[in-house]
Amino acid sequence: MAERLSLPELPYDYGALEPAISGEIMLLHHQKHHKTYVTNFNNALQQLEDAVSKSDASAIVQLQSALKFNGGGHINHSIFWKNLAPVSQGGGEPPKGSLGNEIEKEFGSLEALVHKMNSEGAALQGSGWVWLALDKEFKRLLVETTFNQDPLVTKGSSLVPLLGIDVWEHAYYLQYKNAKADYLANIWKVMNWNYASEVYEKECP
Amino acid sequence: MAASAAAAIASPLKCGLISSQGFSGSTRSFQWRKNEKRNVRKASRGVITAKIDLRPPPYSLDALEPHMSRETFEYHWGKHHRAYVDNLNKQIVGTELDTKTLEDIILLTYNKGDLLPPFNNAAQVWNHDFFWESMKPGGGGKPSGELLELINRDFGSFEGFVNEFKAAAATQFGSGWAWLVYKANRIDVGNAVNPRPSDEDKKLVVVKSPNAVNPLVWDYSPLLTIDVWEHAYYLDFQNRRPDYISTFMEKLVSWDAVNSRLEAAKARAAEREEEEERKKTEYEDNQADLDAREMYLESSDADDDSEAD
């Protein structure tokens, strides 16, 4: 029987990302939205196991969207909590080392990358994510977007997420309301480039 | 036409004067606006530009409290809906879409699913107009009359309908809408026309759609909608979408609006049937003419032969 997923702990206090992201949002986002994805994924997984054991093809197929929505929601948010950090823990500090160099090479400058991600995030219609991705096959950085809770890998099996920005309205509405662009501008103040560098250096030693 | 178009661009100050009893007398707001031009052509330095307007809800911004707050309306109508209108106007000015009705813009830019850039804005303008008019102060309760009969027929019971509508709204993952629609003369294969329409084909159906998509693109007649983009409920309900949906059903739904829309949908379906019948008859008559002509030519050949003898 597959292990049940559980809600990962937040590596910092709910209020630690203020004023970029409010404690109220962090609490709801983690304890309600992410928790619900975990719960619903576990339910879907249980139903999948039952269906598989009975070779019930129809049920297996019907469960796909629940698995994708909720599994994707869990995957994406687990990354998200790690790719943010309080200022006191290095949040907002620009990337150094090999990732910093690669960003300059690929995008011209960090500002250009930020601008590109913010533009794509702002332009995204509906719900989704904007990613800084590493194509581990070609060893190249790129900016990608996914809809709903589709994980980055749905855009390419060789894509590894370095940073993700949640642009579902629940990620910012209570604080920024309709001003999505302000949320995007401010989230960089708590971006955890250390995490991104770690992931990058692991794939590109 | 011009008068109603002018009224449509009346400033939002007017909304407070509109009776909270809704539009039982006038069907302007509720009929499927196929023929109504809501663009107003303004001349400015000799340039004619069409302009889609931001319509206010048919009640004041605090009229649906405490079920839907004034604050929500200030953002949802005042910012989101307004932005869709402004951005659409920027996108269509000076293009061939400039002179078209909103519904036409939606259908053209839907482009059979390969969405063109103005689609999102155009559809969202329409969707939000439709959504405000789907609610009223003191709403909720149950429908009656023919609408209730149809609901009982197509959903088993009113509760059956409510459950299905709520489920659709709750399971529209990500952003989108849930709808009650009137489906007429369409078989369930793309947009194919049913060649043998019957009353059994005309059904009430619950559907859901993602992001800006609405049932106009499937050639259905929408009767009721609920917005399930998070911005619609987050200030009042946060993550609790099911509570928002229940409140909508119990306290906000305008069954008056649904009724008016149903009448319009039936009329439209009847009109379309007549048109298709007329075309069919015309075609058959043409065929009969051609057949007659052939017979005539054949028989004259025969005469020639006999004369030759």
Side-chain angles (χ1 to χ4, degrees):
Chain A
M1 181 169 108
E3 234 179 74
R4 291 292 164 258
L5 297 180
S6 55
L7 182 67
E9 282 206 15
L10 216 56
Y12 34 79
D13 289 341
Y14 287 114
L17 301 184
E18 294 200 350
I21 305 180
S22 72
E24 188 188 18
I25 287 185
M26 291 304 291
L27 181 68
L28 285 167
H29 205 172
H30 182 247
Q31 283 195 12
K32 301 286 180 187
H33 290 276
H34 189 172
K35 179 112 195 276
T36 301
Y37 291 131
V38 170
T39 304
N40 291 346
F41 184 71
N42 285 335
N43 288 340
L45 203 58
Q46 176 65 65
Q47 289 175 61
L48 180 68
E49 283 174 2
D50 294 344
V52 167
S53 69
K54 293 185 203 131
S55 296
D56 184 348
S58 171
I60 292 170
V61 168
Q62 269 190 298
L63 285 164
Q64 295 312 301
S65 58
L67 289 165
K68 186 176 181 190
F69 294 160
N70 294 297
H74 171 63
I75 291 167
N76 294 337
H77 287 86
S78 301
I79 296 167
F80 191 49
W81 311 138
K82 290 193 278 196
N83 73 240
L84 299 173
V87 170
S88 58
Q89 289 173 30
E93 266 174 39
K96 304 182 227 341
S98 57
L99 178 57
N101 292 337
E102 192 60 30
I103 286 173
E104 297 252 338
K105 206 170 113 203
E106 187 64 53
F107 300 101
S109 65
L110 180 60
E111 289 68 38
L113 168 62
V114 168
H115 179 80
K116 186 171 167 68
M117 285 184 73
N118 288 349
S119 302
E120 303 227 359
L124 193 148
Q125 294 283 337
S127 309
W129 290 75
V130 57
W131 303 95
L132 172 63
L134 166 68
D135 184 329
K136 63 183 176 187
E137 199 187 315
F138 295 108
K139 303 285 191 244
R140 287 196 67 178
L141 296 177
L142 50 122
V143 171
E144 190 56 86
T145 53
T146 55
F147 285 116
N148 297 335
Q149 292 298 351
D150 295 355
L152 178 62
V153 75
T154 58
K155 281 291 182 88
S157 52
S158 59
L159 296 181
V160 176
L162 302 181
L163 293 178
I165 302 179
D166 189 348
V167 290
W168 281 63
E169 286 170 329
H170 65 237
Y172 61 88
Y173 209 80
L174 291 180
Q175 183 178 357
Y176 292 94
K177 314 288 194 302
N178 63 305
K180 196 204 288 191
D182 291 351
Y183 160 68
L184 290 167
N186 280 305
I187 199 171
W188 294 99
K189 298 174 183 165
V190 289
M191 202 59 82
N192 186 2
W193 285 105
N194 288 331
Y195 170 79
S197 292
E198 269 169 36
V199 177
Y200 179 77
E201 282 161 22
K202 194 155 148 257
E203 297 291 344
C204 305
Chain B
M1 277 301 198
S4 63
I9 57 152
S11 88
L13 291 173
K14 276 226 162 184
C15 74
L17 301 174
I18 295 176
S19 159
S20 63
Q21 276 148 16
F23 288 80
S24 47
S26 144
T27 55
R28 179 181 78 84
S29 286
F30 301 127
Q31 71 192 26
W32 193 68
R33 286 185 230 104
K34 190 161 84 116
N35 297 316
E36 180 181 292
K37 284 176 74 70
R38 49 179 301 187
N39 340 17
V40 172
R41 301 178 69 96
K42 288 160 64 161
S44 156
R45 285 187 244 127
V47 173
I48 311 265
T49 57
K51 187 173 173 295
I52 303 293
D53 50 281
L54 175 66
R55 289 184 169 184
Y59 36 75
S60 59
L61 299 189
D62 61 359
L64 302 189
E65 295 255 8
H67 313 298
M68 186 175 283
S69 65
R70 164 191 259 280
E71 196 192 12
T72 289
F73 269 99
E74 279 169 358
Y75 286 101
H76 201 177
W77 175 74
K79 305 277 185 184
H80 290 273
H81 193 181
R82 187 183 303 276
Y84 291 128
V85 170
D86 292 346
N87 291 335
L88 176 64
N89 282 325
K90 282 185 212 150
Q91 278 175 315
I92 66 175
V93 71
T95 73
E96 63 184 6
L97 294 175
D98 218 356
T99 56
K100 305 232 183 286
T101 64
L102 184 59
E103 289 81 5
D104 283 345
I105 297 173
I106 291 169
L107 295 174
L108 286 166
T109 57
Y110 180 69
N111 198 27
K112 300 184 184 161
D114 188 15
L115 309 182
L116 301 176
F119 177 79
N120 280 311
N121 290 318
Q124 285 291 78
V125 171
W126 193 96
N127 295 341
H128 284 87
D129 285 344
F130 196 80
F131 179 49
W132 311 138
E133 291 167 1
S134 294
M135 298 184 285
K136 69 174 199 184
K142 279 177 78 155
S144 56
E146 194 196 353
L147 177 55
L148 182 58
E149 279 173 31
L150 289 177
I151 286 175
N152 286 334
R153 184 194 71 180
D154 294 334
F155 296 99
S157 64
F158 179 64
E159 288 67 37
F161 157 70
V162 170
N163 288 338
E164 198 173 322
F165 188 79
K166 283 185 172 183
T171 60
Q172 174 48 43
F173 194 75
S175 312
W177 304 77
W179 307 83
L180 174 65
V181 306
Y182 179 78
K183 179 179 152 183
N185 300 347
R186 292 289 173 266
I187 53 181
D188 289 330
V189 180
N191 279 327
V193 178
N194 188 336
R196 299 174 60 87
S198 76
D199 272 345
E200 277 81 55
D201 299 330
K202 302 194 183 84
K203 302 189 345 176
L204 299 184
V205 173
V206 165
V207 294
K208 58 190 180 187
S209 60
N211 297 343
V213 177
N214 66 36
L216 295 177
V217 309
W218 303 318
D219 209 17
Y220 295 161
S221 297
L223 303 180
L224 174 67
T225 195
I226 182 173
D227 187 349
V228 291
W229 282 63
E230 286 174 327
H231 65 238
Y233 59 89
Y234 217 82
L235 295 179
D236 295 335
F237 293 91
Q238 293 80 59
N239 61 303
R240 293 169 288 120
R241 196 198 281 191
D243 289 350
Y244 159 66
I245 297 167
S246 292
T247 299
F248 174 84
M249 293 307 298
E250 287 160 29
K251 309 286 187 191
L252 295 174
V253 172
S254 169
W255 289 111
D256 293 339
V258 180
N259 254 319
S260 300
R261 290 158 175 176
L262 176 62
E263 292 310 307
K266 281 162 48 189
R268 182 178 153 244
E271 214 177 273
R272 186 180 283 200
E273 259 175 40
E274 273 173 37
E275 179 61 22
E276 280 163 11
E277 198 50 51
R278 193 192 62 78
K279 279 192 190 146
K280 195 169 124 191
T281 312
E282 203 177 278
Y283 175 77
E284 282 166 0
D285 287 346
N286 279 343
Q287 284 303 102
D289 281 346
L290 288 170
D291 290 345
R293 228 170 288 154
E294 272 183 35
M295 278 170 55
Y296 174 75
L297 290 170
E298 279 168 31
S299 67
S300 21
D301 286 346
D303 289 345
D304 285 343
D305 285 348
S306 66
E307 274 170 18
D309 283 343

